[in-house]
């Protein structure tokens, strides 16, 4: 009797899988790994899923957890289910992850980066109409090399009181990031790529980075290539950010500049971000913190995660849905009627989400 | 007068009682023309300063020129300089001349005071930040090697001595100027040993100044805060590279590279220049560069030489031209030329008293 039930269930199971396969092939629904994260992560992920459903986007979510576990050999790693899911789906959306201070394991973001070789961090910064900052005409993209440079983590105590930190620049990584930058510029109709460096001081390391950028630029004559010192970029950025288009740079400068640009448009709460890895893996994420003080209270602002999801749609070629959702989001913010607290209003996260859903549905 | 003439005939170098001699390094780009304006202004205002001019050829591979400049600064103790260009086509062992100068003379503190000027249109108002940047080590150690082909390592050195020294300088300056808070800028969450050591030294020094509040901020958050709410900062203290970034951001916030003077102090020497150290190649010799930064730097130099009367006179005239007459150069939205601005300053000085020569 029990055996019969198991047999029926097995057939149903196989049937379900065949159904999924057929749906995927014919309705081209793509599966995306969703990592809700900690703190406000789950609620903003839910908000994004609701909006995508309202837009009828052909995305199926596969939720996974990435709390670090100790693998064989004592090395910290992400759970195998998460890894498998990412490798299968190739595309991921991630909420904020907390890094406990004395957990003994490295930051989760670092672990993800190493596991999937996420070499490029891309942050498009566009001024949001309706969210006023002193800078109104920002439209640039920062592309940051994310694996080496100053963040190689190699430090030594030479003698008592003297510390040496090593900044590593390799030909391979520099070439790879430069190529990605030019490809991005070409695919997204951007006119110029600027390499940011300090080769006047760090002659060999930034010199190598610059040389590789110049070499790659030769193959992309349709995109204009310029080079600028880091300090000049900072100086000009705060005076007139409209001069900049795509910026490519090593790790540390990228960290500083991408946060500077996020500050220009309103902060990390409204800035999208994507990490591109080798083997076609791409993880899009919100870069703000977990905000534990407002977690679970329906007060969070899902804009950053939503815009990252829009970036993800564009990456997947679903430009129509991307445009629809992005326009709905910007319209809601511009209207200024239903805004979360950090944007200057007093609406709840669910109300903000509902407003965007309504706009998306009205667009059809 | 007899004694003066007697002494003048006896010694070969320029010698005058009550006068100071200062080394002048014109540099490249807009440096030479701006420094000429400084000399013109000093001559006009009868400032008791003589200049020993030392040229440094940025395209020469030998270090003879820069060594001469360093010797001149050692001789005189004080210098005013333009930026020396670093040519990229040179091989990597050709070090930045400006950096060589700073490290040889151990000018460990770079001080920049960014203040919003009422006459200049900017997005942010009421900025008043003093930036103190470690000037000799950190990422600017110029220690690089290619260990394997295609892999370059660049060393960032942080030492306890230099970190304590710069932190001590910062707190002493803060106390002297009546400032309330010192913020250390770092990235110790990633560079745990290097920036960790810097931060620890700052904390140690802070404990000796209980009247001054001390806090710290990570560099990426700092830049984000600077572009949204720069008024929250008072005195900022940081290692070399972050200092470069933050000082340029702040200079941009108050109106640009043409407005802010910078000073490099060591134990025995002091060198004054524009804060953002730009060569300004594209605007050189077109009479459009903003002379304010260089002129204010020369005032800082006069203050250092303790000739405060002249310093205040010139500074007052510069600020009047900037804020009241509103004669601005192109970089801050005006249409004046460099010489027009300098003439205006000289006119204001002349109307202030009988000390001047003919225009």
């Amino acid at each position: 009797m029990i055996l019969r039930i198991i047999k029926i269930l097995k057939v149903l199971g196989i049937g379900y899988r065949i159904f999924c396969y057929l749906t995927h092939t014919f309705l081209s629904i793509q599966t995306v790994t969703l990592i809700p994260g900690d703190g406000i992560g789950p609620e903003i992920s839910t908000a994004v899923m609701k909006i995508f459903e309202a837009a009828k986007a052909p995305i199926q979510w596969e939720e996974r957890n990435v709390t670090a576990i100790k693998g064989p050999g004592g090395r910290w790693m992400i759970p195998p289910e998460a890894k498998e899911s990412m490798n299968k789906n190739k595309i991921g959306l991630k909420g904020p992850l907390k890094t406990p201070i004395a957990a003994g394991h490295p930051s989760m973001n670092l672990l993800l980066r190493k596991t999937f070789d996420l070499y490029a961090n891309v942050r498009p910064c566009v001024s949001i109409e309706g969210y006023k900052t002193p800078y109104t005409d920002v439209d640039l993209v920062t592309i940051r090399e994310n694996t080496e440079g100053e963040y190689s983590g190699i430090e030594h105590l030479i003698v008592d009181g003297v510390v040496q930190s090593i900044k590593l620049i390799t030909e391979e990584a520099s070439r790879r990031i430069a190529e990605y930058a030019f490809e991005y510029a070409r695919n997204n109709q951007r006119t110029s790529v600027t390499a940011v460096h300090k080769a006047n001081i760090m002659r060999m390391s930034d010199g190598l980075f610059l040389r590789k950028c110049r070499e790659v630029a030769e193959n992309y004559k349709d995109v204009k290539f310029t080079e600028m010192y880091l300090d000049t970029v900072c100086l000009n950025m705060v005076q007139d950010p409209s001069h900049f288009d795509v910026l490519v740079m090593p790790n540390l400068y990228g960290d500083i500049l991408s946060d500077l640009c996020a500050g220009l448009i309103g902060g990390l709460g409204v800035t999208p971000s994507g990490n591109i890895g080798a083997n076609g893996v791409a993880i899009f994420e919100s870069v703000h913190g977990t905000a534990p003080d407002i977690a679970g209270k329906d007060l969070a602002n899902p804009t950053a995660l939503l815009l990252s999801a829009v970036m993800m749609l564009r990456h997947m070629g679903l430009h129509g849905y991307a445009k629809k959702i992005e326009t709905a989001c910007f319209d809601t913010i511009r209207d200024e009627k239903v805004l979360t607290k950090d944007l200057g209003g007093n609406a709840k996260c669910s109300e903000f989400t509902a407003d965007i859903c309504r706009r998306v549905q009205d667009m059809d | 007068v007899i004694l003066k003439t007697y002494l003048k005939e006896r010694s070969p170098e320029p010698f005058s009682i009550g006068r100071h001699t200062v080394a002048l390094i014109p540099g490249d780009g807009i440096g030479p023309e701006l420094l000429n304006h400084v000399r013109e202004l000093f001559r006009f205002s009868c400032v008791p300063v003589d200049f020993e001019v030392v040229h440094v050829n940025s395209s020469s591979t030998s270090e003879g020129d820069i060594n001469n400049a360093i010797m001149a600064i050692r001789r005189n103790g004080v210098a005013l300089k333009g930026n020396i260009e670093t040519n990229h086509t040179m091989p990597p062992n050709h070090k930045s001349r400006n950096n060589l100068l700073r490290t040889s003379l151990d000018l460990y503190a770079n001080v920049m005071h960014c203040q919003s000027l009422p006459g200049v249109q900017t997005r942010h108002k009421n900025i008043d930040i003093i930036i103190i940047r470690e000037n000799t080590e950190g990422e600017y150690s110029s220690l690089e090697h290619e260990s394997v082909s295609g892999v370059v390592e660049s060393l960032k050195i942080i030492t306890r001595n230099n970190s304590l020294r710069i932190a001590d300088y910062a707190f002493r300056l803060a106390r002297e100027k009546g400032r309330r808070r010192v913020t250390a800028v770092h990235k110790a969450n990633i560079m745990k040993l290097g920036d960790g050591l810097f931060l620890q030294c700052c904390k140690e020094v802070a404990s000796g100044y209980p009247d001054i509040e001390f806090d710290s901020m990570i560099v990426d958050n700092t830049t984000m805060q600077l572009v949204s709410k720069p008024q929250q900062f008072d005195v900022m203290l940081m290692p070399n590279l972050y200092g470069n970034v933050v000082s340029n951001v702040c200079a941009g916030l108050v109106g640009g590279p043409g407005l802010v003077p910078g000073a490099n102090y060591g134990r025995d020497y002091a060198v004054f220049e524009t804060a953002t150290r730009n060569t300004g190649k594209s605007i050189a010799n077109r009479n459009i560069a903003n002379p304010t930064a260089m002129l204010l730097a020369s005032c800082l130099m006069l203050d250092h030489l303790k000739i405060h009367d002249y310093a205040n006179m010139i500074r007052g005239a510069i600020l009047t031209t900037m804020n009241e007459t509103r004669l601005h150069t192109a970089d801050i939205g005006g249409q004046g030329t460099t010489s027009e601005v300098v003439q205006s300053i000289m006119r204001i000085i002349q109307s202030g008293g009988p000390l001047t020569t003919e225009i």
Side-chain angles (χ1 to χ4, degrees), chain A residues 27-31 52 56-60 313 316 318 321:
Chain A
L27 300 182
S28 49
I29 290 184
Q30 284 172 275
T31 317
F52 268 54
K56 299 206 204 45
I59 303 283
Q60 192 178 46
L313 286 171
M316 292 159 84
L318 298 165
Y321 294 99

Side-chain angles (χ1 to χ4, degrees), chain B residues 199-219:
Chain B
L199 199 56
Q200 195 193 347
C201 293
C202 293
K203 284 190 183 135
E204 272 176 42
V205 173
S207 58
Y209 291 81
D211 50 324
I212 299 177
E213 204 186 308
F214 171 71
D215 60 0
S216 61
M217 201 182 265
I218 301 185
V219 62

Side-chain angles (χ1 to χ4, degrees), chain A residues 17-33:
Chain A
R17 267 196 238 146
I18 293 175
F19 171 73
C20 274
Y21 172 73
L22 288 171
T23 346
H24 275 238
T25 330
F26 292 112
L27 300 182
S28 49
I29 290 184
Q30 284 172 275
T31 317
V32 167
T33 308

